[in-house]
Amino acid sequence: MYRAPEYIATPQQILEFWFEELIPKQWFLKDSELDRMIGERFGATLAAATRCECWAWRKTPAGRVAEIIVLDQFSRNMHRDTPDAFAQDPLALALSQELIGLGLDTSLPLAQRIFAYMPFMHSESLPIHDRALELFDRPGMEEQLDYERRHRVIIERFGRYPHRNAILGRESTPEEIEFLRQPGSSF
């Protein structure tokens, strides 16, 4: 029996949803209704992106950002509080590094550039955070630079994000457990 392929969104649809339908406050809030909606609308797109089937999007800077948003942001919404939320981080980071390496990031509008850099902030690698400090140290990104500095301190101290430990099945150290009791210890 033939089964029609599930709908794959276009880069433009991704960018319109993220930057026009949503308000900035929604980007970083835990909202189960939004998570469900993103899963319904873009689940097939995330699945295709995880298989690297959206490679044609990389012909334009905007398409590259759309792919990064799907892998880095939508995965967090669709798979909140599960290991799959972070499973695409290496691919999203590699795509971001490639975008920057080609010098295409500077042609992006500020909001898109911020999300092109976000995989650096999500990394658990100190050298990657060192680069993130440089990327976010630009006019208009002062808030993101502050967040990056706070993220980097955690990576420098623990070598990972302790708030991910339970989700990823990692054992927390006593120091991490104490840290997690503090307000603002996770993002």
Side-chain angles (χ1 to χ4, degrees), residues 43-131:
T45 305
L46 175 60
T50 64
R51 295 186 301 265
C52 295
E53 294 172 359
C54 297
W55 60 270
W57 293 12
R58 299 174 201 163
K59 293 177 184 174
T60 67
R64 288 170 180 267
V65 171
E67 187 176 13
I68 290 167
I69 289 171
V70 168
L71 293 165
D72 187 62
Q73 298 297 317
F74 288 7
S75 63
R76 282 170 163 69
N77 290 95
M78 288 186 228
H79 301 293
R80 190 175 302 282
D81 298 326
T82 73
D84 286 341
F86 314 110
Q88 302 313 312
D89 286 5
L91 179 54
L93 178 60
L95 293 171
S96 181
Q97 291 169 325
E98 183 180 68
L99 177 80
I100 294 161
L102 294 170
L104 301 174
D105 57 315
T106 58
S107 69
L108 294 167
L110 181 63
Q112 290 183 19
R113 196 169 342 134
I114 288 168
F115 281 95
Y117 298 162
M118 201 62 66
F120 284 81
M121 196 180 295
H122 291 153
S123 174
E124 290 186 316
S125 164
L126 192 57
I128 297 299
H129 280 273
D130 290 340
R131 180 67 173 121

Side-chain angles (χ1 to χ4, degrees), residues 8-28:
I8 307 298
T10 66
Q12 188 59 36
Q13 289 169 323
I14 299 297
L15 298 176
E16 286 174 2
F17 171 76
W18 196 250
F19 295 109
E20 296 175 25
E21 287 185 45
L22 298 184
I23 58 172
K25 161 174 127 169
Q26 291 176 291
W27 294 335
F28 304 110

Side-chain angles (χ1 to χ4, degrees), residues 91-181:
L91 179 54
L93 178 60
L95 293 171
S96 181
Q97 291 169 325
E98 183 180 68
L99 177 80
I100 294 161
L102 294 170
L104 301 174
D105 57 315
T106 58
S107 69
L108 294 167
L110 181 63
Q112 290 183 19
R113 196 169 342 134
I114 288 168
F115 281 95
Y117 298 162
M118 201 62 66
F120 284 81
M121 196 180 295
H122 291 153
S123 174
E124 290 186 316
S125 164
L126 192 57
I128 297 299
H129 280 273
D130 290 340
R131 180 67 173 121
L133 287 174
E134 298 168 7
L135 293 169
F136 287 112
D137 190 14
R138 299 181 183 181
M141 295 190 191
E142 293 80 9
E143 184 177 0
Q144 289 75 30
L145 179 59
D146 178 60
Y147 276 107
E148 171 49 36
R149 286 178 176 142
R150 292 168 50 199
H151 281 72
R152 188 186 179 285
V153 165
I154 295 169
I155 298 301
E156 184 175 35
R157 182 173 174 189
F158 300 108
R160 61 189 184 176
Y161 290 118
H163 68 273
R164 294 182 185 175
N165 289 352
I167 294 168
L168 296 174
R170 303 186 302 207
E171 189 171 333
S172 293
T173 66
E175 185 181 14
E176 288 174 328
I177 293 168
E178 180 58 34
F179 171 75
L180 290 171
R181 292 184 181 131

